[in-house]
Amino acid sequence: MNPELAELAQQVKGFMPHDEGVALYRAAAEAASLGPLVEIGSYCGKSAVYLGAAAAEVGGVLFTIDHHRGSEEMQAGWEHHDAELVDPSTGRMDSLPVLRQTLIDAGLEEAVVAIVGDSVTVAAHWSSAALVFIDGGHGDAPAHADYEAWAPKVMPGGLLAIHDVFPDPADGGRPPYEIWLRALDDGYIEHDAQGSLRVLRRSPNG
Ligand code: SAH
Ligand code: MG
């Protein structure tokens, strides 16, 4: 991966350890020339830099989706709240301005298209993707809804990546782990793992 982008990704606010980001980059590099990459959960663009770097190298594109209003655990009073991301005019969270600045700083404005909205709504109008990365709402309903909406969009032979998969409940919440189990049950094949990142491949036969 381009060392300048690797350096920049580590400076961006967010939730993607560098070794997991590099694994994400590797998966994206395999997929980016076959079709679009889709990310659920842009936040400030940290993981989008890893994915977007791979897309840019082959003239591909990453669509990164987020309503930018934050997940439950990012709201005021919760564990992952960041007061710097509150829009004073609405009192609500808004990570979109930071995402845009990240893409400018990374020189990835062409390779990365930000989609602002609810992931399941977008999925309803989406056809297919060479790689889908699920890192949106981590609660029970949102994680399963993202899996149900987006897993069918992965093209045969394409990749499905899931973040925050913790087999041991002591390490983190259940839903991402549960959807990883669902993917295995649905015939996805384990392809790569790094930290809490899991990458699966959809069977080439559909
Ligand atoms: N990938 C990011 C972290 C994502 S945090 C990184 O590398 O740092 C999860 C994000 O998912 C939040 O920004 C939140 O706004 C978004 N999100 C949660 N539920 C969503 C939904 N239903 N539709 C779109 N975005 C959602
Ligand atoms: Mg995550």
Side-chain angles (χ1 to χ4, degrees):
M1 172 174 183
N2 173 321
E4 280 168 31
L5 288 183
E7 186 54 39
L8 185 138
Q10 292 173 79
Q11 312 303 321
V12 176
K13 192 177 278 203
F15 307 96
M16 182 55 62
H18 185 59
D19 58 342
E20 299 176 30
V22 171
L24 196 56
Y25 164 82
R26 268 200 312 269
E30 281 184 48
S33 55
L34 305 174
L37 314 175
V38 172
E39 167 174 66
I40 323 300
S42 327
Y43 194 54
C44 298
K46 195 179 189 69
S47 45
V49 172
Y50 295 98
L51 293 165
E57 281 171 15
V58 297
V61 62
L62 165 70
F63 293 95
T64 184
I65 304 169
D66 201 309
H67 50 41
H68 290 282
R69 295 308 192 189
S71 303
E72 206 175 55
E73 65 279 8
M74 291 169 174
Q75 305 305 319
W78 290 68
E79 186 189 353
H80 292 298
H81 183 63
D82 183 339
E84 283 177 14
L85 296 178
V86 173
D87 174 354
S89 74
T90 60
R92 299 173 69 192
M93 252 205 63
D94 186 5
S95 44
L96 179 59
V98 184
L99 171 66
R100 176 172 286 251
Q101 191 60 53
T102 297
L103 297 179
I104 292 169
D105 294 346
L108 288 173
E109 283 183 285
E110 270 183 45
V112 182
V113 176
I115 298 182
V116 181
D118 171 64
S119 61
V120 171
T121 305
V122 177
H125 301 276
W126 204 271
S127 54
S128 84
L131 175 146
V132 169
F133 172 50
I134 299 181
D135 192 23
H138 288 44
D140 198 45
H144 284 273
D146 276 337
Y147 177 75
E148 285 160 24
W150 284 101
K153 310 297 179 184
V154 176
M155 56 175 56
L159 300 176
L160 174 66
I162 304 173
H163 199 223
D164 305 300
V165 171
F166 298 111
D168 182 347
D171 296 330
R174 299 288 73 208
Y177 174 65
E178 289 167 6
I179 66 173
W180 175 70
L181 290 179
R182 279 181 78 173
L184 291 175
D185 207 46
D186 288 341
Y188 281 81
I189 306 298
E190 289 185 76
H191 179 65
D192 196 11
Q194 182 68 49
S196 73
L197 180 77
R198 295 290 180 280
V199 183
L200 304 127
R201 186 184 293 284
R202 183 172 170 180
S203 154
N205 313 316

